[in-house]
Amino acid sequence: MHTPELQQDIQSTIEWALAEDLGAAPGIKADANNDITATLIPADNKAVATIICREDCVISGVAWVNEVFKQLDASSNLHTDITWFVTDGQAVKANSTLCELTGNARLLLTGERTALNFLQSLSGTATITSQYVKELEGGTTKLLDTRKTIPGMRSAQKYAVTCGGGHNHRIGLFDAFLIKENHVNACGGINNAVQTAKSNFPGKTVEVEVESLDELNQALDAGADIIMLDNFTTDMIEQAVTLTRGKAKLEVSGNMTLEKLKAYTKAGVDFISVGALTKHVQAIDLSMRFV
């Protein structure tokens, strides 16, 4: 179930994407008639099309595809029927048919690329997330995303992470503290930064990024809720777990790869955050074909 906030973001993102593709001015609804190639087809032609994935993947982005054709339908006074054979979060095999679309031939072609762009990118994020999550099976460590997202796609990509079995870190700069090196330097130390955060916004989670065991101890003494171990070696992480003894949650971050995950989760950290889930997007190979 999408939250009202996510649903609103889906609508506005699709409006922007269609306007980009159809040459609409800012603030003006996209006009499907601006697809000059589609005008080669008789205006009243009907068609049936299917979207097929060409590789194994985890699906994410159904609502974005639906919204593309909902908006095109509204602008053209037409109707497109979409029958889905999969759901978000579902693992599918190569050459699976994901959905069938029935409607105006012009409109199907006008919406094709925008719809596939969202579905292939979000499914890519869900798929790589599921691979990381699989490596963590059997432990208690949770996989987190980061703010390293494509501009304008924050909520969409974070939703895709959950489709792959991952968890969202903070959504933005407003819902939790993440105190990094520059914040510490500007505040005059870890303790000052943490105490000011707790004073300014009581109840907000306070996380501190540290680069050494000495800084870890400072963050623990300051009362940080979560401590991010940035580019720690496995030995340092094991020491950090021993030093912390449950006084704070521990998160590991920095140049994370699939190969490193098992060692880190065995060390007993609470979270592993991976920027590559949303930063290094490998789109899934999809195609739409008229039947």
XYZ file of all heavy atoms in Angstrom, residues 104-194:
683
model
N -5.820 2.606 -27.071
C -5.502 3.317 -28.294
C -4.036 3.089 -28.669
O -3.138 3.247 -27.843
C -5.782 4.811 -28.091
C -5.474 5.626 -29.307
O -4.358 6.109 -29.473
N -6.459 5.792 -30.182
N -3.796 2.716 -29.934
C -2.437 2.372 -30.366
C -1.477 3.545 -30.206
O -0.334 3.383 -29.760
C -2.460 1.890 -31.814
N -1.932 4.741 -30.604
C -1.073 5.919 -30.457
C -0.659 6.118 -29.005
O 0.507 6.359 -28.686
C -1.803 7.174 -30.944
C -1.911 7.346 -32.435
C -2.502 8.726 -32.734
N -2.623 8.986 -34.159
C -3.043 10.146 -34.662
N -3.384 11.135 -33.844
N -3.128 10.310 -35.975
N -1.641 6.025 -28.105
C -1.391 6.317 -26.699
C -0.449 5.299 -26.071
O 0.405 5.650 -25.250
C -2.718 6.357 -25.930
C -2.810 7.402 -24.825
C -2.664 8.799 -25.401
C -4.129 7.277 -24.078
N -0.615 4.039 -26.468
C 0.285 3.012 -25.937
C 1.735 3.314 -26.309
O 2.644 3.168 -25.488
C -0.114 1.637 -26.466
C -1.447 1.055 -25.969
C -1.690 -0.311 -26.597
C -1.475 0.957 -24.451
N 1.948 3.744 -27.532
C 3.312 4.043 -27.978
C 3.842 5.331 -27.352
O 5.035 5.446 -27.049
C 3.344 4.137 -29.500
C 3.122 2.802 -30.221
C 2.967 3.014 -31.712
C 4.264 1.841 -29.924
N 2.966 6.295 -27.135
C 3.390 7.550 -26.506
C 3.856 7.309 -25.076
O 4.848 7.894 -24.620
C 2.235 8.567 -26.524
O 1.919 8.879 -27.880
C 2.612 9.849 -25.784
N 3.162 6.433 -24.361
C 3.513 6.185 -22.959
C 4.571 5.130 -22.752
O 5.090 4.973 -21.645
N 4.921 4.409 -23.809
C 5.818 3.252 -23.682
C 7.124 3.579 -22.978
O 7.475 2.962 -21.971
C 6.118 2.677 -25.070
C 7.171 1.578 -25.060
C 7.569 1.132 -26.457
O 7.067 1.728 -27.449
O 8.385 0.207 -26.572
N 7.869 4.542 -23.498
C 9.200 4.784 -22.964
C 9.163 5.333 -21.545
O 9.956 4.911 -20.680
C 9.971 5.731 -23.892
C 11.373 6.136 -23.412
C 12.182 4.998 -22.846
N 12.237 3.818 -23.705
C 12.556 2.605 -23.269
N 12.809 2.392 -21.993
N 12.587 1.588 -24.101
N 8.255 6.254 -21.265
C 8.169 6.788 -19.905
C 7.835 5.679 -18.921
O 8.453 5.570 -17.850
C 7.102 7.899 -19.826
O 7.466 8.954 -20.718
C 7.001 8.449 -18.414
N 6.872 4.833 -19.277
C 6.482 3.732 -18.395
C 7.641 2.769 -18.164
O 7.936 2.376 -17.025
C 5.288 2.991 -18.983
N 8.337 2.394 -19.247
C 9.441 1.451 -19.114
C 10.619 2.054 -18.361
O 11.320 1.344 -17.624
C 9.896 0.970 -20.494
C 8.914 0.087 -21.273
C 9.550 -0.385 -22.571
C 8.448 -1.095 -20.448
N 10.854 3.351 -18.528
C 11.954 3.991 -17.813
C 11.807 3.820 -16.304
O 12.774 3.515 -15.589
C 12.023 5.479 -18.151
C 12.685 5.743 -19.490
O 13.305 4.859 -20.080
N 12.559 6.968 -19.979
N 10.598 4.037 -15.810
C 10.370 3.883 -14.368
C 10.429 2.413 -13.960
O 11.089 2.061 -12.978
C 9.022 4.498 -13.980
C 9.052 5.989 -13.890
C 8.635 6.768 -14.955
C 9.522 6.620 -12.748
C 8.680 8.162 -14.886
C 9.563 8.008 -12.657
C 9.142 8.781 -13.728
N 9.757 1.553 -14.702
C 9.692 0.146 -14.327
C 11.066 -0.517 -14.379
O 11.423 -1.294 -13.485
C 8.717 -0.583 -15.265
C 8.351 -2.022 -14.893
C 7.669 -2.085 -13.539
C 7.439 -2.627 -15.970
N 11.867 -0.207 -15.396
C 13.174 -0.850 -15.513
C 14.153 -0.352 -14.454
O 14.951 -1.136 -13.910
C 13.760 -0.631 -16.911
C 14.179 0.792 -17.214
C 14.595 0.988 -18.663
O 14.276 0.173 -19.528
N 15.298 2.076 -18.934
N 14.074 0.937 -14.130
C 14.998 1.501 -13.143
C 14.651 1.057 -11.727
O 15.523 0.663 -10.943
C 14.990 3.026 -13.222
O 15.418 3.461 -14.499
N 13.363 1.122 -11.376
C 12.954 0.730 -10.027
C 13.111 -0.776 -9.823
O 13.509 -1.218 -8.743
C 11.519 1.174 -9.762
C 11.291 2.688 -9.810
C 9.846 3.026 -9.463
C 12.238 3.422 -8.874
N 12.842 -1.554 -10.854
C 13.055 -2.998 -10.749
C 14.546 -3.310 -10.616
O 14.927 -4.269 -9.938
C 12.462 -3.721 -11.963
O 11.053 -3.599 -11.988
N 15.386 -2.493 -11.236
C 16.824 -2.666 -11.073
C 17.259 -2.470 -9.639
O 18.057 -3.244 -9.088
N 16.719 -1.435 -9.000
C 17.045 -1.186 -7.596
C 16.514 -2.307 -6.708
O 17.207 -2.779 -5.799
C 16.464 0.167 -7.146
O 17.171 1.215 -7.803
C 16.581 0.353 -5.645
N 15.279 -2.743 -6.952
C 14.709 -3.832 -6.161
C 15.508 -5.118 -6.322
O 15.710 -5.873 -5.363
C 13.255 -4.066 -6.568
N 15.994 -5.355 -7.531
C 16.728 -6.590 -7.811
C 18.067 -6.629 -7.098
O 18.413 -7.628 -6.449
C 16.926 -6.750 -9.330
O 15.648 -6.796 -9.967
C 17.699 -8.016 -9.653
N 18.846 -5.552 -7.186
C 20.145 -5.548 -6.513
C 19.968 -5.556 -4.996
O 20.728 -6.192 -4.270
C 21.017 -4.346 -6.964
C 22.435 -4.468 -6.409
C 20.406 -3.028 -6.544
C 23.203 -5.674 -6.912
N 18.919 -4.891 -4.523
C 18.641 -4.912 -3.084
C 18.379 -6.340 -2.618
O 18.889 -6.774 -1.578
C 17.432 -4.029 -2.745
O 17.703 -2.679 -3.125
C 17.121 -4.080 -1.254
N 17.597 -7.082 -3.381
C 17.277 -8.460 -2.994
C 18.527 -9.330 -2.940
O 18.620 -10.248 -2.113
C 16.259 -9.061 -3.969
O 16.831 -9.314 -5.246
N 19.507 -9.036 -3.798
C 20.756 -9.803 -3.791
C 21.554 -9.526 -2.524
O 22.141 -10.446 -1.929
C 21.569 -9.462 -5.037
C 20.921 -9.921 -6.338
C 21.622 -9.397 -7.578
O 22.702 -8.799 -7.489
N 21.014 -9.598 -8.733
N 21.566 -8.259 -2.099
C 22.249 -7.915 -0.847
C 21.531 -8.532 0.348
O 22.167 -9.064 1.270
C 22.318 -6.396 -0.680
C 23.480 -5.744 -1.381
C 23.444 -5.484 -2.745
C 24.628 -5.365 -0.686
C 24.507 -4.873 -3.395
C 25.701 -4.754 -1.323
C 25.637 -4.516 -2.684
O 26.702 -3.914 -3.311
N 20.201 -8.454 0.340
C 19.411 -9.004 1.446
C 19.653 -10.506 1.583
O 19.756 -11.040 2.695
C 17.912 -8.711 1.237
C 17.054 -9.512 2.206
C 17.637 -7.224 1.413
N 19.762 -11.199 0.459
C 19.995 -12.640 0.491
C 21.305 -12.975 1.192
O 21.406 -13.973 1.914
C 20.002 -13.201 -0.932
C 20.102 -14.721 -0.994
C 19.981 -15.233 -2.421
C 20.043 -16.756 -2.461
N 19.920 -17.278 -3.852
N 22.313 -12.138 1.000
C 23.606 -12.364 1.641
C 23.529 -12.193 3.157
O 24.378 -12.699 3.885
C 24.654 -11.401 1.070
C 25.071 -11.691 -0.348
C 25.741 -13.045 -0.496
O 26.672 -13.341 0.289
O 25.324 -13.822 -1.378
N 22.524 -11.469 3.632
C 22.382 -11.223 5.069
C 21.463 -12.232 5.755
O 21.241 -12.149 6.965
C 21.838 -9.812 5.304
C 22.733 -8.656 4.849
C 22.030 -7.326 5.066
C 24.068 -8.676 5.588
N 20.907 -13.164 4.994
C 19.983 -14.148 5.570
C 20.651 -14.930 6.692
O 21.822 -15.284 6.621
C 19.497 -15.116 4.485
C 18.489 -14.519 3.528
C 18.039 -15.505 2.462
O 18.616 -16.623 2.401
O 17.133 -15.168 1.684
N 19.872 -15.188 7.739
C 20.396 -15.941 8.875
C 20.923 -15.077 9.991
O 21.201 -15.573 11.087
N 21.051 -13.774 9.734
C 21.525 -12.854 10.760
C 20.463 -11.841 11.117
O 19.335 -11.882 10.633
N 20.828 -10.903 11.977
C 19.888 -9.864 12.415
C 20.204 -8.500 11.814
O 19.488 -7.538 12.058
C 19.902 -9.742 13.949
O 21.231 -9.412 14.387
C 19.460 -11.049 14.599
N 21.267 -8.414 11.026
C 21.653 -7.143 10.426
C 20.671 -6.737 9.346
O 20.290 -7.544 8.499
C 23.058 -7.244 9.816
O 23.978 -7.678 10.824
C 23.509 -5.898 9.278
N 20.252 -5.462 9.367
C 19.322 -4.940 8.372
C 20.073 -4.146 7.310
O 21.023 -3.417 7.627
C 18.277 -4.038 9.033
C 17.307 -4.784 9.934
C 16.263 -3.830 10.494
C 15.244 -4.566 11.350
N 14.213 -3.640 11.899
N 19.623 -4.268 6.076
C 20.199 -3.522 4.956
C 19.475 -2.186 4.812
O 18.244 -2.147 4.735
C 20.066 -4.323 3.666
C 20.616 -3.655 2.405
C 22.142 -3.596 2.447
C 20.145 -4.398 1.149
N 20.230 -1.089 4.754
C 19.674 0.248 4.614
C 20.113 0.894 3.309
O 21.203 0.624 2.801
C 20.137 1.152 5.765
C 19.827 0.727 7.199
C 20.399 1.760 8.165
C 18.335 0.557 7.406
N 19.268 1.780 2.799
C 19.665 2.613 1.668
C 20.286 3.909 2.189
O 20.518 4.058 3.390
C 18.465 2.905 0.754
C 17.284 3.509 1.509
O 17.487 4.084 2.599
O 16.144 3.402 1.020
N 20.559 4.853 1.294
C 21.144 6.142 1.673
C 20.427 7.260 0.920
O 19.444 7.020 0.231
C 22.653 6.198 1.316
O 22.796 6.307 -0.107
C 23.385 4.964 1.810
N 20.942 8.495 1.051
C 20.402 9.620 0.305
C 21.075 9.779 -1.055
O 20.838 10.763 -1.755
C 20.568 10.920 1.110
C 19.613 11.036 2.291
C 19.944 12.240 3.171
N 20.093 13.469 2.423
C 21.228 14.172 2.360
N 22.317 13.766 2.980
N 21.276 15.286 1.666
N 21.890 8.832 -1.453
C 22.562 8.889 -2.754
C 21.605 8.387 -3.823
O 21.755 7.298 -4.379
C 23.849 8.068 -2.718
C 24.882 8.635 -1.753
C 26.097 7.744 -1.635
C 27.092 8.320 -0.633
N 28.274 7.428 -0.429
N 20.592 9.198 -4.096
C 19.544 8.839 -5.038
C 19.576 9.765 -6.246
O 20.183 10.837 -6.210
C 18.163 8.936 -4.366
O 18.012 10.238 -3.783
C 18.018 7.895 -3.264
N 18.903 9.344 -7.313
C 18.784 10.185 -8.495
C 17.883 11.371 -8.157
O 16.790 11.171 -7.614
C 18.192 9.389 -9.663
C 19.119 8.222 -10.024
C 17.954 10.281 -10.885
C 18.515 7.237 -11.001
N 18.296 12.608 -8.422
C 17.454 13.763 -8.100
C 16.046 13.614 -8.665
O 15.844 13.252 -9.822
C 18.206 14.926 -8.758
C 19.637 14.496 -8.734
C 19.600 13.021 -8.996
N 15.059 13.889 -7.813
C 13.669 13.768 -8.214
C 13.098 12.369 -8.072
O 11.901 12.160 -8.262
N 13.957 11.392 -7.719
C 13.525 10.001 -7.632
C 13.682 9.422 -6.226
O 13.656 8.205 -6.037
C 14.326 9.152 -8.626
C 14.009 9.409 -10.074
S 12.435 8.674 -10.547
C 12.892 6.949 -10.554
N 13.842 10.310 -5.228
C 14.120 9.838 -3.864
C 13.069 8.848 -3.361
O 13.388 7.723 -2.970
C 14.210 11.046 -2.934
C 14.345 10.744 -1.434
C 15.688 10.193 -1.031
N 16.787 11.014 -1.476
C 17.226 12.120 -0.819
N 16.624 12.527 0.277
N 18.252 12.804 -1.288
N 11.809 9.256 -3.342
C 10.783 8.383 -2.762
C 10.581 7.131 -3.607
O 10.321 6.041 -3.076
C 9.464 9.139 -2.599
O 8.927 9.513 -3.857
N 10.696 7.254 -4.930
C 10.528 6.101 -5.814
C 11.621 5.063 -5.566
O 11.342 3.860 -5.439
C 10.541 6.549 -7.273
N 12.870 5.508 -5.488
C 13.967 4.570 -5.287
C 13.934 3.949 -3.902
O 14.243 2.768 -3.729
C 15.306 5.266 -5.532
C 15.579 5.545 -7.002
C 17.002 6.003 -7.219
O 17.362 7.118 -6.860
N 17.820 5.146 -7.799
N 13.560 4.742 -2.912
C 13.468 4.185 -1.562
C 12.331 3.170 -1.472
O 12.436 2.172 -0.748
C 13.318 5.307 -0.532
C 14.650 6.011 -0.240
C 14.539 7.041 0.840
C 15.915 7.555 1.269
N 16.660 6.602 2.095
N 11.245 3.411 -2.210
C 10.182 2.419 -2.280
C 10.707 1.134 -2.927
O 10.422 0.025 -2.465
C 8.999 2.967 -3.084
C 7.956 1.926 -3.408
C 7.064 1.484 -2.438
C 7.895 1.360 -4.683
C 6.113 0.501 -2.736
C 6.948 0.386 -4.979
C 6.061 -0.041 -3.998
O 5.138 -1.013 -4.293
N 11.495 1.264 -3.991
C 12.042 0.099 -4.681
C 12.940 -0.728 -3.764
O 12.973 -1.953 -3.841
C 12.811 0.535 -5.927
N 13.673 -0.043 -2.887
C 14.518 -0.752 -1.916
C 13.664 -1.651 -1.035
O 14.014 -2.803 -0.770
C 15.322 0.246 -1.069
C 15.946 -0.442 0.159
C 16.425 0.893 -1.908
N 12.519 -1.148 -0.587
C 11.650 -1.977 0.254
C 11.076 -3.152 -0.534
O 10.844 -4.220 0.034
C 10.503 -1.150 0.870
O 9.603 -0.701 -0.153
C 11.043 0.051 1.631
N 10.845 -2.970 -1.836
C 10.365 -4.081 -2.668
C 11.397 -5.202 -2.719
O 11.036 -6.381 -2.868
C 10.061 -3.599 -4.085
S 8.618 -2.512 -4.209
N 12.663 -4.853 -2.617
C 13.723 -5.850 -2.638
C 14.048 -6.421 -1.269
O 14.949 -7.256 -1.150
N 13.316 -5.974 -0.239
C 13.539 -6.510 1.102
C 14.433 -5.670 1.979
O 14.726 -6.056 3.120
N 14.885 -4.516 1.475
C 15.718 -3.626 2.277
C 14.890 -2.674 3.119
O 13.649 -2.710 3.104
N 15.576 -1.810 3.845
C 14.933 -0.842 4.726
C 15.418 0.561 4.391
O 16.547 0.745 3.920
C 15.247 -1.155 6.190
C 14.776 -2.510 6.636
N 13.563 -2.723 7.233
C 15.362 -3.734 6.535
C 13.413 -4.005 7.501
N 14.495 -4.650 7.083
N 14.564 1.525 4.644
C 14.921 2.914 4.386
C 15.666 3.525 5.563
O 15.280 3.350 6.719
C 13.675 3.771 4.113
C 12.939 3.367 2.847
O 11.740 3.512 2.756
N 13.666 2.864 1.853
N 16.753 4.223 5.249
C 17.440 5.070 6.223
C 16.582 6.328 6.331
O 15.404 6.318 5.958
C 18.846 5.375 5.694
C 19.839 5.702 6.764
N 19.801 6.879 7.476
C 20.908 5.008 7.238
C 20.801 6.903 8.338
N 21.485 5.764 8.226
N 17.112 7.413 6.813
C 16.314 8.638 6.844
C 15.911 9.021 5.418
O 16.646 8.769 4.464
C 17.088 9.765 7.519
C 18.411 10.100 6.831
C 19.114 11.238 7.541
N 20.344 11.570 6.825
C 20.967 12.737 6.913
N 20.482 13.685 7.689
N 22.075 12.961 6.241
N 14.754 9.639 5.297
C 14.250 10.015 3.984
C 14.984 11.239 3.447
O 15.295 11.337 2.262
C 12.739 10.290 4.040
C 11.997 9.039 4.533
C 12.214 10.707 2.669
C 12.220 7.808 3.697
N 15.275 12.181 4.329
C 15.967 13.397 3.908
C 16.681 14.041 5.079
O 17.014 13.378 6.066
N 16.890 15.316 4.981
C 17.606 16.060 6.013
C 16.716 16.476 7.181
O 17.202 17.050 8.143
C 18.230 17.325 5.397
C 19.259 17.088 4.293
C 19.655 18.406 3.643
C 20.493 16.381 4.858
N 15.435 16.161 7.095
C 14.459 16.685 8.047
C 14.015 15.696 9.112
O 13.473 16.098 10.139
C 13.204 17.142 7.279
C 12.559 16.038 6.485
C 11.567 15.243 7.028
C 12.980 15.777 5.188
C 10.995 14.218 6.294
C 12.410 14.748 4.448
C 11.423 13.964 4.999
N 14.221 14.382 8.886
C 13.593 13.407 9.786
C 14.544 12.742 10.763
O 14.097 12.041 11.678
C 12.839 12.349 8.973
C 13.705 11.648 7.942
O 14.703 12.231 7.501
O 13.368 10.511 7.564
N 15.853 12.928 10.615
C 16.818 12.365 11.560
C 18.158 13.071 11.375
O 18.440 13.628 10.307
C 16.971 10.861 11.349
N 18.965 13.029 12.425
C 20.303 13.618 12.354
C 21.302 12.589 11.834
O 21.263 11.413 12.219
C 20.774 14.053 13.749
C 20.110 15.286 14.272
C 19.007 15.188 15.111
C 20.579 16.552 13.956
C 18.390 16.316 15.610
C 19.969 17.692 14.455
C 18.864 17.578 15.282
N 22.212 13.034 10.971
C 23.392 12.260 10.620
C 24.556 13.236 10.666
O 24.787 14.024 9.744
C 23.271 11.615 9.237
C 24.486 10.789 8.782
C 24.945 9.837 9.876
C 24.184 10.028 7.506
N 25.290 13.178 11.780
C 26.366 14.132 12.048
C 27.665 13.573 11.477
O 28.163 12.537 11.919
C 26.494 14.373 13.558
C 25.180 14.945 14.107
C 27.657 15.299 13.865
C 25.105 14.990 15.618
N 28.202 14.277 10.474
C 29.430 13.835 9.819
C 30.603 14.740 10.195
O 30.467 15.657 10.994
C 29.220 13.804 8.300
C 28.178 12.788 7.858
C 28.229 12.572 6.353
C 27.325 11.430 5.936
N 27.509 11.073 4.509
N 31.754 14.453 9.572
C 32.997 15.127 9.936
C 32.879 16.647 9.872
O 33.319 17.353 10.793
C 34.121 14.660 9.013
C 35.474 15.296 9.313
C 36.556 14.826 8.356
O 36.225 14.135 7.366
O 37.732 15.172 8.590
N 32.299 17.170 8.799
C 32.195 18.626 8.675
C 31.274 19.224 9.728
O 31.523 20.330 10.231
C 31.696 18.997 7.274
C 32.759 18.786 6.211
O 33.951 18.826 6.498
N 32.329 18.557 4.980
N 30.199 18.508 10.076
C 29.327 18.979 11.151
C 30.088 19.031 12.475
O 29.983 19.998 13.240
C 28.115 18.052 11.321
C 27.247 17.942 10.109
N 27.272 16.843 9.283
C 26.319 18.778 9.592
C 26.386 17.007 8.312
N 25.804 18.180 8.466
N 30.857 17.966 12.728
C 31.627 17.889 13.977
C 32.612 19.042 14.072
O 32.723 19.716 15.106
C 32.358 16.533 14.076
C 33.361 16.545 15.226
C 31.356 15.397 14.253
N 33.334 19.288 12.981
C 34.321 20.372 12.980
C 33.665 21.727 13.193
O 34.172 22.579 13.934
C 35.100 20.368 11.666
C 36.026 19.169 11.545
O 36.392 18.568 12.553
N 36.390 18.805 10.328
N 32.515 21.932 12.539
C 31.832 23.220 12.654
C 31.219 23.424 14.035
O 31.041 24.569 14.483
C 30.751 23.336 11.584
N 30.890 22.320 14.715
C 30.253 22.404 16.037
C 31.262 22.385 17.184
O 30.879 22.596 18.347
C 29.276 21.244 16.235
S 27.788 21.332 15.230
N 32.521 22.111 16.880
C 33.528 22.088 17.930
C 33.647 20.752 18.642
O 34.067 20.707 19.809
N 33.308 19.678 17.964
C 33.485 18.357 18.558
C 32.220 17.527 18.539
O 31.110 18.037 18.358
N 32.419 16.208 18.712
C 31.298 15.268 18.667
C 30.304 15.528 19.787
O 29.085 15.557 19.572
C 31.818 13.816 18.726
C 32.517 13.450 17.408
C 30.678 12.834 19.017
C 33.164 12.080 17.401
N 30.803 15.746 21.006
C 29.898 15.948 22.138
C 29.029 17.191 21.938
O 27.807 17.146 22.171
C 30.695 16.082 23.434
C 29.781 16.154 24.647
O 29.130 15.172 25.023
N 29.718 17.327 25.268
N 29.628 18.269 21.503
C 28.848 19.497 21.269
C 27.777 19.276 20.203
O 26.641 19.744 20.349
C 29.773 20.637 20.831
C 30.565 21.227 21.979
O 30.266 20.966 23.145
N 31.584 22.015 21.657
N 28.153 18.580 19.157
C 27.202 18.341 18.066
C 26.022 17.502 18.543
O 24.855 17.816 18.258
C 27.900 17.652 16.895
N 26.301 16.434 19.279
C 25.237 15.550 19.749
C 24.335 16.258 20.758
O 23.095 16.173 20.675
C 25.828 14.267 20.368
C 24.727 13.432 21.039
C 26.527 13.436 19.302
